[in-house]
């Protein structure tokens, strides 16, 4: 049984609403995916579409709408209703295509990650390759997918200074 998620909804400018979920991040993200899919399915029936775009992120969903066609209060009510029923929207988080991404485990950070994680480099590679990752959301750079969840043993802090050049 999943833990109830708390939703907050508020304006994001004058033509968008932002729904943010609080709780377990993986559970929140799967709920965001279901909410986005439900809104997109509804939008296919609109003529003209009141909802212009739906942009999912890790634990939030931005819903852009045409204020000439629908008031913000109606969008907020719709989001609240969907958030209250999110567990009954089906599991859209498991749809999509499987992509196989080739990975080489010989980069300059491998030994540092292994040392920080208390593993040997081979274990880091095996643990990382053993999972099937889900695209949680797309980033601001075109095609940049944020994947997860990562094996907790491989979670290490970010570099204190980013590299200026990557070979």
């Amino acid at each position: 049984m999943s833990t109830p998620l708390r939703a907050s909804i508020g304006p994001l400018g004058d033509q968008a609403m932002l729904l943010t979920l609080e709780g377990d991040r993986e559970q929140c993200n799967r709920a965001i995916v279901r909410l986005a899919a439900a809104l997109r399915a509804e939008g296919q029936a609109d003529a003209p579409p009141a909802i212009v775009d739906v942009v999912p992120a890790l634990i939030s969903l931005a819903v852009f709408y045409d204020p000439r066609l629908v008031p913000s209060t109606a969008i907020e009510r719709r989001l609240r209703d969907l958030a209250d029923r999110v567990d009954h929207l089906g599991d859209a988080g498991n749809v999509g295509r499987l992509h196989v991404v080739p990975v080489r485990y010989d980069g300059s950070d491998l030994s540092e990650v292994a040392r920080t994680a208390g593993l040997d480099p081979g274990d880091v590679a095996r643990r990382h390759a053993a999972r099937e990752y889900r695209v949680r959301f797309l980033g601001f750079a075109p095609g940049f997918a944020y994947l997860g969840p990562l094996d907790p043993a491989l979670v290490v802090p970010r570099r204190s200074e980013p590299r200026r050049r990557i070979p």
Side-chain angles (χ1 to χ4, degrees), residues 4 8 12 15 24 32 36 41 61 74 83 98 109 113 120 122 160:
S8 61
L12 182 65
Q15 297 179 21
D24 173 76
I32 290 295
L61 180 66
L98 178 65
D109 291 328
V113 168
D120 67 61
S160 58

Side-chain angles (χ1 to χ4, degrees), residues 106-112 159 163 167:
D106 63 354
S108 57
D109 291 328
L110 181 60
S111 59
E112 179 66 19
R159 294 177 53 86
R163 286 196 176 85

Side-chain angles (χ1 to χ4, degrees), residues 55-58 135-146 158:
V55 182
L58 183 62
V135 174
R136 290 174 162 174
F137 62 97
L138 297 177
F140 60 89
F144 191 92
Y146 284 82
R158 293 179 73 116

Side-chain angles (χ1 to χ4, degrees), residues 15 20 38 52 77-78 80 83 85 93 96 107 118 143 148 163-164 166:
Q15 297 179 21
T20 304
V52 177
R77 273 193 311 274
R78 185 67 191 125
R80 178 76 53 208
R85 298 182 307 110
R163 286 196 176 85
R164 295 186 188 275
I166 298 176

Side-chain angles (χ1 to χ4, degrees), residues 26-164:
E26 189 64 22
Q27 186 181 346
C28 287
N29 184 249
R30 287 182 180 276
I32 290 295
V33 169
R34 289 193 304 274
L35 291 167
L39 284 168
R40 285 184 180 125
E42 286 177 7
Q44 293 173 0
D46 282 351
I51 293 181
V52 177
D53 200 5
V54 177
V55 182
L58 183 62
I59 61 168
S60 64
L61 180 66
V63 178
F64 295 85
Y65 62 93
D66 186 336
R68 296 170 300 176
L69 300 175
V70 62
S72 63
T73 54
I75 297 294
E76 185 174 358
R77 273 193 311 274
R78 185 67 191 125
L79 289 175
R80 178 76 53 208
D81 176 59
L82 283 173
D84 289 345
R85 298 182 307 110
V86 71
D87 289 335
H88 305 289
L89 294 177
D91 193 9
N94 287 330
V95 297
R97 295 179 302 193
L98 178 65
H99 297 272
V100 178
V101 179
V103 178
R104 289 180 53 180
Y105 294 96
D106 63 354
S108 57
D109 291 328
L110 181 60
S111 59
E112 179 66 19
V113 168
R115 185 187 63 71
T116 303
L119 301 167
D120 67 61
D123 286 334
V124 169
R126 276 187 290 285
R127 283 175 174 263
H128 187 263
R131 286 193 175 226
E132 189 170 287
Y133 298 91
R134 190 173 58 81
V135 174
R136 290 174 162 174
F137 62 97
L138 297 177
F140 60 89
F144 191 92
Y146 284 82
L147 308 177
L150 182 65
D151 181 327
L154 301 179
V155 175
V156 297
R158 293 179 73 116
R159 294 177 53 86
S160 58
E161 272 189 49
R163 286 196 176 85
R164 295 186 188 275

